[in-house]
Amino acid sequence: MEGLTPFVEYNLVVGIVVALELLYFLSLESSVTAYRRFVLVTVGGLVLAVIGGPVAELFAPSLVHWIHGAAALLVVLGLYDPVANDLRTAEWAQVLLSEPAQIRQPADWMTPMDDEILSVFHNAELILTPSIIAYNTGFSRKEVNRRLIKLDEHGLVEKIERGKYQMTYRGEQYLRGQLHTVPATNDETEVKS
C-alpha cells in the first residue's frame, strides 16, 4: 500500500472488512436469501459500494462516482421489491376493509348483513352469541339469529351449542376472498366444513 494516502488506506480496509461481514452474513442465511432476490441485489449493491469505491479510487479515480451510482441503484432496486409488496398488501387490505364486494363473491342467498356478521367473527376470533353480534353490528338479535342459521346451513359458521356460534374455515376463506363459490344448499355438497 505504498503511495496511498491514509484516507484511501482507511477506506480500502473498512470496505474489505464490511464486504467480508456482508458475505459472511449471506453464507449464514443462505437458505433464507436463496429465495429472496431482493436481499441478494441489496447486499450486492452494498458490497459494490464498500469495496468497489475504494478499489476504484485506487485504480481509476474518475470512476468512483459511477461505481457509487451503480451501487446505489442496486440498493434501491433491491429495496423496492419488499416495499412494493408491502404497499400492494396494504392496498388490498384497504380494498377488503372498505369494499368487500370487490374481493368476495357472495352467493345468491347471501345478504350484505352476512358479510358484517362474518366480519365480527373474524375480528373477535371467539365463539359469539346472536346478542353480541347484534350489539356490534346494529341489527336486531332476531335478524342476526335468522342469518346465523342460514350461514350455519351453508358451512360458513357452525353452532357450537345452543345460541353459540363460531366461524368455520370456509367462513375464513370467504372473508379472504379465497372461496369462489358458496353452494346454495348443503344438499349440493353433502359435507359441511
Side-chain angles (χ1 to χ4, degrees):
M1 290 196 187
E2 188 178 314
L4 298 178
T5 65
F7 181 71
V8 173
E9 288 177 8
Y10 173 78
N11 277 345
L12 191 56
V13 170
V14 168
I16 290 170
V17 169
V18 171
L20 290 173
E21 289 172 349
L22 288 171
L23 293 173
Y24 178 70
F25 164 74
L26 282 179
S27 71
L28 290 177
E29 298 295 329
S30 62
S31 62
V32 174
T33 58
Y35 301 104
R36 298 192 178 189
R37 180 184 75 249
F38 66 89
V39 172
L40 295 175
V41 172
T42 303
V43 171
L46 293 172
V47 168
L48 182 62
V50 297
I51 196 71
V55 169
E57 195 172 312
L58 229 140
F59 298 110
S62 62
L63 296 178
V64 170
H65 296 297
W66 288 100
I67 299 286
H68 284 156
L73 184 62
L74 286 174
V75 170
V76 168
L77 289 175
L79 294 176
Y80 174 76
D81 192 32
V83 169
N85 286 336
D86 285 347
L87 289 175
R88 281 186 231 122
T89 302
E91 288 169 4
W92 276 109
Q94 185 60 33
V95 167
L96 182 62
L97 293 173
S98 65
E99 198 57 48
Q102 290 182 9
I103 304 282
R104 302 176 191 144
Q105 297 175 349
D108 294 337
W109 59 267
M110 294 182 81
T111 67
M113 182 177 173
D114 296 337
D115 270 6
E116 290 189 46
I117 290 171
L118 291 172
S119 294
V120 171
F121 276 107
H122 177 71
N123 293 336
E125 296 182 11
L126 299 170
I127 296 171
L128 300 173
T129 65
S131 298
I132 291 172
I133 296 168
Y135 179 80
N136 287 295
T137 60
F139 297 110
S140 74
R141 190 188 61 74
K142 193 176 194 178
E143 290 175 305
V144 169
N145 198 42
R146 192 173 25 245
R147 294 314 304 165
L148 281 171
I149 292 169
K150 197 71 157 167
L151 290 168
D152 183 36
E153 288 173 6
H154 295 286
L156 298 176
V157 299
E158 76 178 323
K159 191 174 197 174
I160 301 302
E161 59 183 59
R162 185 170 185 247
K164 295 180 183 169
Y165 294 84
Q166 74 178 9
M167 189 178 329
T168 63
Y169 179 69
R170 283 177 55 83
E172 286 287 338
Q173 284 182 307
Y174 170 74
L175 278 181
R176 285 190 224 114
Q178 296 170 343
L179 188 64
H180 298 296
T181 57
V182 181
T185 65
N186 274 343
D187 298 336
E188 295 175 13
T189 60
E190 294 293 324
V191 178
K192 186 167 74 172
S193 301

